[in-house]
């Protein structure tokens, strides 16, 4: 069984039918419908994730996997970690930590140090990115912005090396609208960062948006990131279930 499924976009980001990649492995790579019916608690967790507005309940998830809660508007669902590795050439310096998160709809979020790096299987895809973003520790501690360029190959439309100008700064306090989230999640000393992004959309129109990231114990535990004008995600790391 290949764990990387190359399929065309499904018309929208189909969060209702979320993976758990391990579900398919545990079911001997049987079709998903059969796997859901025969996995006991794992199948129950997957059926629970099918409820579009339900907040995932970690107590009902099968143990031993790392999960991420993904929000698109009012919809909440889960993705599972398939692989984590150090980025960079074998004979060169490390360029951050890469993570590969999967859904049951053949969707992939490839993150590098918590930032979107590649996106496959969604209505907009990021096929390739050309240079790593600045490391979080390299951002000025006084809140001064660091400006950098991101170039991404995007589909549809064959938008190769599509460029964005990004100004990233370290926030000196927790954003006011995130105080409740910090208290619930237990990130009292998380460091927050903010991107100011100047981009163009699929029609070539100027598109300005803001992204935010919370860094806690060396990992981005929460972020708000946009793939396209009509596809912005909130990503919350849930950790490994026991």
């Amino acid at each position: 069984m290949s764990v990387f499924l190359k399929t065309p976009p499904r018309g929208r980001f189909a969060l209702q039918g979320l993976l758990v990649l391990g579900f398919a492995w545990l079911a001997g790579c049987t079709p998903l419908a059969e796997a859901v019916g025969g996995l006991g608690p794992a199948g129950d967790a997957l059926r629970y994730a099918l409820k579009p507005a339900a907040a995932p309940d970690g107590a009902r998830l099968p143990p031993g996997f790392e999960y991420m809660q993904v929000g698109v508007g009012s919809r909440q669902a889960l993705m599972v970690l398939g692989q984590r590795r150090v980025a960079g050439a074998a004979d060169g310096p490390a360029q951050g930590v890469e993570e590969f998160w999967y859904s049951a709809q053949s969707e992939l979020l490839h993150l590098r140090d918590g930032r979107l790096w590649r996106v496959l299987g969604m209505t907009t895809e990021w096929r390739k990115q050309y240079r790593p973003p600045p490391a979080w520790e390299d951002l000025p501690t006084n809140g001064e912005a660091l400006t950098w360029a991101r170039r991404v190959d995007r589909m549809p439309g064959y938008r190769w090396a599509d460029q964005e100008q990004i100004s990233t700064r370290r926030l000196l306090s927790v954003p006011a609208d995130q105080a409740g989230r910090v208290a619930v999640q237990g990130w009292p000393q998380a460091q927050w960062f903010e991107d100011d992004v100047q981009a163009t959309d699929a029609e070539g129109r100027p598109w300005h948006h803001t992204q935010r990231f919370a860094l806690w114990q060396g990992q981005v535990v929460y972020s708000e990131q946009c793939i396209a004008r009509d596809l912005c995600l909130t990503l919350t790391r849930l950790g490994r279930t026991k």
Side-chain angles (χ1 to χ4, degrees):
M1 173 186 173
S2 171
V3 300
F4 181 65
L5 304 176
K6 295 183 178 179
T7 60
R10 303 300 183 91
R12 65 178 300 172
F13 183 29
L15 285 172
Q16 298 95 315
L18 238 335
L19 166 293
V20 172
L21 181 65
F23 291 177
W25 287 341
L26 292 171
C29 299
T30 57
L32 181 62
E34 296 177 22
V36 170
L39 282 174
D44 291 341
L46 185 53
R47 281 190 289 270
Y48 180 77
L50 296 178
K51 298 178 182 179
D57 181 358
R60 301 179 62 180
L61 298 173
F65 299 101
E66 290 188 49
Y67 298 94
M68 182 167 63
Q69 182 175 332
V70 182
V72 180
S74 63
R75 297 179 180 273
Q76 301 290 329
L78 299 175
M79 298 184 85
V80 70
L81 180 68
Q83 184 183 16
R84 178 182 289 117
R85 70 188 185 194
V86 176
D91 57 350
Q95 298 178 350
V97 176
E98 295 183 308
E99 296 177 330
F100 299 81
W101 297 86
Y102 296 89
S103 84
Q105 301 299 317
S106 306
E107 296 152 339
L108 164 68
L109 293 182
H110 175 183
L111 305 182
R112 180 173 286 197
D113 283 346
R115 288 185 176 275
L116 292 171
W117 184 254
R118 286 191 305 146
V119 179
L120 298 176
M122 300 184 188
T123 53
T124 296
E125 296 190 331
W126 290 12
R127 299 291 182 85
K128 179 181 178 181
Q129 203 164 151
Y130 288 85
R131 57 177 295 184
W136 299 113
E137 59 267 24
D138 291 342
L139 293 166
T141 58
N142 63 359
E144 182 180 347
L146 176 66
T147 300
W148 53 288
R150 175 164 64 190
R151 291 191 300 137
V152 182
D153 289 349
R154 292 186 171 94
M155 289 288 285
Y158 299 98
R159 300 164 60 197
W160 302 137
D162 192 28
Q163 184 161 302
E164 301 174 340
Q165 292 294 325
I166 303 176
S167 294
T168 303
R169 65 187 181 98
R170 188 187 301 261
L171 300 180
L172 302 183
S173 61
V174 177
D177 63 333
Q178 296 297 327
R181 186 187 305 275
V182 169
V184 170
Q185 298 291 344
W187 309 325
Q189 299 178 8
Q191 178 63 64
W192 288 79
F193 300 83
E194 185 173 86
D195 285 346
D196 183 81
V197 184
Q198 300 288 342
T200 55
D201 63 16
E203 284 72 44
R205 298 171 299 181
W207 174 38
H208 170 256
H209 60 281
T210 300
Q211 303 187 143
R212 290 194 294 191
F213 304 82
L215 190 71
W216 170 244
Q217 298 182 339
Q219 289 184 320
V220 173
V221 292
Y222 172 81
S223 66
E224 301 167 358
Q225 303 186 62
C226 290
I227 298 167
R229 185 189 287 272
D230 60 350
L231 187 55
C232 292
L233 312 180
T234 61
L235 307 177
T236 306
R237 187 183 300 272
L238 301 182
R240 183 183 297 273
T241 55
K242 298 180 179 180

